Every structure is written in structure tokens, then in C-alpha cells.
């Protein structure tokens, strides 16, 4: 049975670097033999700015 790893990611920013970093991190951890789940986290201020 593989160990599971969760990555909490705040991805809603104005550049592609965050997306590339999240993808590369998830891919590398999978290569190491783990099950990976990326959790997209958004604070309430970003989700509802009004």
C-alpha cells in the first residue's frame, strides 16, 4: 500500500510559476512512489472579495 501525501496549494495568483511549481512537485512526489492529492485552497478574501 502506497503512502498518501496531500499538497495544499494556493494557486489563484497572477502568474504561471505557481501552476508549474504545483505540477512539478506533484509529479516528482509521484515518481518517488507516493499517492498525491493536490488540494486547492482559497481564502475567503480571494474567493469573495466584496
Amino acid at each position: 500500500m502506497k503512502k498518501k501525501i496531500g499538497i495544499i496549494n494556493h494557486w489563484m495568483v497572477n502568474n504561471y510559476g505557481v501552476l508549474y511549481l504545483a505540477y512539478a512537485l506533484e509529479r516528482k512526489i509521484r515518481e518517488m512512489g507516493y499517492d498525491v492529492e493536490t488540494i486547492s485552497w482559497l481564502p475567503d478574501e480571494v474567493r469573495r472579495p466584496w
Side-chain angles (χ1 to χ4, degrees):
M1 185 169 154
K2 291 183 179 181
K3 290 186 177 182
K4 295 181 179 182
I5 294 179
I7 302 169
I8 297 175
N9 187 13
H10 176 72
W11 55 267
M12 194 169 181
V13 294
N14 202 11
N15 67 48
Y16 291 109
V18 174
L19 295 175
Y20 291 139
L21 180 61
Y23 172 75
L25 179 61
E26 183 174 331
R27 184 171 174 170
K28 184 60 180 178
I29 292 173
R30 283 190 199 280
E31 286 177 6
M32 295 171 66
Y34 295 97
D35 283 337
V36 181
E37 181 178 351
T38 300
I39 303 163
S40 297
W41 175 77
L42 292 174
D44 288 336
E45 298 83 31
V46 174
R47 193 174 311 156
R48 290 176 276 175
W50 54 89

